[in-house]
Amino acid sequence: MDLQDTQLMGLLARADSTVAGLSDLLSGLISEFARRNHTLYLVGGSVRDALLGRLGNDLDFTTDARPQVVHEILDSWAETTWDTGIEFGTVSAVYKGQQIEITTFRADLYDGDSRNPEVTFGNTLDDDLIRRDFKVNAMAIELRADGTREFFDPMEGLKDLQAGIMDTPDAPELSFRDDPLRMLRAARFVSQLQFGVSDRVRQAMTDMAEEIRRITVERIQVEMDKMILGVAPWDGIDLLVETGLAQIIFPEIPAMAMEPDEHAQHKDVYAHSLTVLRQAMEQEEDGPDLVLRWAALLHDIGKPDTRDVTDGKVSFHQHEIVGAKLARRRMRQLKYPKATTQEVSELVRLHMRFHGFGEGQWTDSAVRRYVNDAGELLPRLHKLVRADCTTRNERKARRLQRTYDHLEERIEEIQEKEGIAAIRPDLDGNEIMEILDLKPGPEVGQAWAYMKDLRLELGPLERDEAIAKLRQWWESKK
């Protein structure tokens, strides 16, 4: 047996051991399918993940049993069952914390116009597996009532998994025409699994990029997020850029790959942004942070529109303001939640604020305004600004990090003294109305804004001084 065969046997042994660990949990389910003379297979991503030693709490199965039979079995076995996908042959359930999804063999037909197939239930496992997106997701393990298991791999997905390659069971042109979303799934798996794609898949993605327009923006957004939350999102992004898919779904990203001017060299903004993404991820503390990752990738998307060359020097004046608008517009078009769109665009807008001050030039007022403007995004802003330092000049890098260390120390110092995390005016709205004898209206809001600005500029005031400042401001308006 050569080394490759030994490695394959090792992968199979790991998967078998992983699945064997589920025997007690699934024994009742397996027995019920067998009692009704139906087969049950662990399938797709669940088999792939078992081989990779990363099986989670979501298990996918396929069976020759029709959906109504599956529903009856799950109803009698699981704690919770739902059938929202039953028209597509899928019934889902939860049992002892494990999410179960069972789909009847499919042999679908596509019309080439939409990604929604004419659902046709199949009779064989092979027919079901060949319709799947990639070979590494076209493997199955039969679970039998006697405790034995059998591995099925008609598309040779195990070899692709061992080689770290994504390839389609059928010709990629057919697969992507059936469902163009599979092109984005390729980029997602590249990010999640750190696999490459076969030459024919890459070529088909390039040739068929326009087909992605058949997919709804909501589905695109979901796949993009899964890619961004992977372990190597820069690889997935690169694949989308190189194949032209990014130009269609998020053109601001490939636009950052600007050609440096012959006489005015500047950093490759696209490569820099991928580095910032990587460095931002290194600072994550509680798992993947979607907002931070998107902000890191998009922080400089305003540079192509603001690039200027004067006296041989390149500048990108106010690129953060332009970038925030571009990020907000694109994320709205992709139907992102309002909160996510707002947080990402705000981080893009604020990421240059730190660079407006040199070391030791942060006044108390500037520190208060920095904290106030960032609000709840301050921890993410800290990470983004630190990640944005990608210079190869070690002396400059140390200076920037030291300067930001100093800023964080100033924030902590003033926070302890003044409580600036949630700055509010020294006088609230009711007090302002009483002091100035005002009724609710826009003038109260103007007065509140003035007092808030005063609080940021001067810090906390004694009550008598705050009242005097308010009255002085009010008199100046008459």
Side-chain angles (χ1 to χ4, degrees), residues 253-272:
I253 295 174
M256 290 190 289
M258 297 180 290
E259 289 294 330
D261 184 273
E262 181 181 357
H263 304 293
Q265 298 291 325
H266 63 78
K267 188 180 297 182
D268 182 329
V269 179
Y270 172 69
H272 162 74

Side-chain angles (χ1 to χ4, degrees), residues 99-118:
Q99 183 162 317
I100 308 291
E101 190 170 275
I102 304 178
T103 302
T104 300
F105 290 162
R106 296 261 295 269
D108 300 337
L109 298 174
Y110 291 82
D111 60 14
D113 292 323
S114 76
R115 66 177 297 268
N116 297 320
E118 177 186 335

Side-chain angles (χ1 to χ4, degrees), residues 6 11 51 56 59 137 150 153 203 207 232 234 244 252 264 276 313 340 348 359-360 441 446 473:
T6 301
L11 289 171
L51 288 160
L59 300 178
N137 296 331
E150 184 174 356
D153 184 20
Q203 188 61 54
D207 294 343
W234 44 86
E252 293 82 3
V276 173
K313 294 183 178 179
T340 303
V348 172
E359 188 171 2
Q446 294 170 13
W473 169 80

Side-chain angles (χ1 to χ4, degrees), residues 29-89:
L29 182 66
I30 297 168
S31 297
E32 190 58 27
F33 271 86
R35 188 181 70 81
R36 295 177 180 235
N37 295 317
H38 290 298
T39 52
L40 183 66
Y41 302 86
L42 190 70
V43 74
S46 293
V47 175
R48 179 200 69 217
D49 289 345
L51 288 160
L52 292 172
R54 44 177 284 173
L55 186 62
N57 289 325
D58 295 344
L59 300 178
D60 293 330
F61 297 89
T62 189
T63 179
D64 62 338
R66 291 308 189 244
Q68 193 55 47
V69 175
V70 175
H71 195 289
E72 291 171 4
I73 292 174
L74 287 177
D75 256 352
S76 64
W77 173 77
E79 298 158 357
T80 305
T81 304
W82 62 97
D83 60 3
T84 51
I86 197 166
E87 63 178 305
F88 297 104

Side-chain angles (χ1 to χ4, degrees), residues 272-325:
H272 162 74
S273 298
L274 295 187
T275 300
V276 173
L277 171 59
R278 186 191 299 261
Q279 293 184 169
M281 287 170 56
E282 291 171 355
Q283 300 178 70
E284 291 175 333
E285 300 165 304
D286 301 311
D289 185 332
L290 183 68
V291 168
L292 176 63
R293 292 188 181 195
W294 270 119
L297 176 62
L298 304 179
H299 76 285
D300 275 349
I301 61 169
K303 282 190 171 180
D305 287 351
T306 57
R307 184 176 185 271
D308 180 66
V309 181
T310 304
D311 297 328
K313 294 183 178 179
V314 178
S315 66
F316 304 97
H317 184 57
Q318 289 198 326
H319 74 273
E320 68 278 16
I321 306 300
V322 174
K325 292 179 180 178

Side-chain angles (χ1 to χ4, degrees), residues 8 34 91 211 242 248 269 303 307 373 465-466 474:
L8 288 173
V91 185
E211 293 288 317
E242 291 168 6
I248 298 170
V269 179
K303 282 190 171 180
R307 184 176 185 271
D373 289 349
E465 185 179 4
W474 182 245

